[in-house]
Amino acid sequence: MSDAPSPIPHDQAEAWPEHLRRLGVRSDLRAGDRLFLGGSAPTHVYWVESGEIVLQRDSLQGQTLILQRVREGFVAEASLQARHYHCDALAARASVVWGFARPRLLQLLQETPGLALWWAARLAGQLRAARLRCERLSLRSAEQRIVHAVETEGRDGVLVLPSTRRAWAAELGLTPEALYRALARLQRDAVLSVQGAELRCAATQPQAPARRRPRQCASEPASSSPPATPPGLDAGARRRRTRSSTGSA
């Protein structure tokens, strides 16, 4: 992991308070690099610019539990006032993160009300996202979890997957095979359409305009077929009417 006191990119820094922009230090991580270890004393809070940071912990049975995957946003914000990091953090792939020294950040939050309010708003947004993930995992079927993700995390009914389908399956609490089968069923039932990394609700599909029946022009002649016989007028009555009209002529 390499650190560089480079300024935060302009397009991201625009939305950040000035004090925070000056404090950030960039780090480039390779896949497999550890950002911090659970149990160690917190030294920094991090913000992920690109790539993917995985927060994980080993269970009592020796299994690795994925707590969160972060592709953009803060990491270790929960350890800002803790005595130790609560889990391990490592780069799932090449990543760029920004570190904020914990003692200095705590001091700035105490001295700068505007920064403290901004920080609280960002944490509230991450809390809402966490609640949505908890709600999604409480849904019983794979199809329900997929549709929930598209409707809550997508934009205008369209979700672009930021990672591989295998990684997304883990976030949904599904095996890759269960995810693939559920996507196939949702496409078959016309609930979703899937094109590469894009998932789209059927309700947002553009509808083809209904074909209108051609209108008959007013100048077109009427049908050339003979007029229908008036009800109740049989063939004999028609002949008598014809002779009568001929004689009167």
Side-chain angles (χ1 to χ4, degrees), residues 103-236:
R104 181 59 179 150
L105 180 55
L106 279 171
Q107 181 182 357
L108 285 174
L109 289 173
Q110 292 170 354
E111 297 175 350
T112 315
L115 177 60
L117 288 173
W118 180 90
W119 181 263
R122 293 300 296 256
L123 295 185
Q126 295 188 196
L127 176 59
R128 288 192 295 270
R131 286 174 174 170
L132 286 175
R133 288 193 295 270
C134 291
E135 173 64 22
R136 186 175 308 137
L137 292 175
S138 71
L139 300 175
R140 302 188 65 177
S141 74
E143 289 88 342
Q144 288 176 319
R145 296 184 186 183
I146 293 170
V147 172
H148 184 277
V150 174
E151 292 183 346
T152 59
E153 295 187 3
R155 178 173 297 180
D156 298 327
V158 180
L159 175 65
V160 179
L161 298 182
S163 61
T164 64
R165 293 190 185 182
R166 179 175 292 274
W168 194 51
E171 291 185 35
L172 296 177
L174 305 171
T175 64
E177 295 76 16
L179 174 63
Y180 300 147
R181 290 194 297 268
L183 286 173
R185 288 192 293 269
L186 289 169
Q187 289 188 91
R188 182 195 62 203
D189 297 339
V191 177
L192 291 179
S193 66
V194 182
Q195 296 182 351
E198 182 180 284
L199 279 64
R200 180 185 296 269
C201 283
T204 65
Q205 294 281 7
Q207 299 294 324
R211 297 185 60 184
R212 299 178 60 184
R213 298 181 61 183
R215 298 178 60 185
Q216 190 177 42
C217 296
S219 59
E220 291 181 0
S223 174
S224 59
S225 58
T229 303
L233 190 62
D234 59 12

Side-chain angles (χ1 to χ4, degrees), residues 1-6 25-29:
M1 181 176 69
S2 62
D3 297 339
S6 173
V25 177
R26 170 179 167 139
S27 298
D28 295 313
L29 281 70

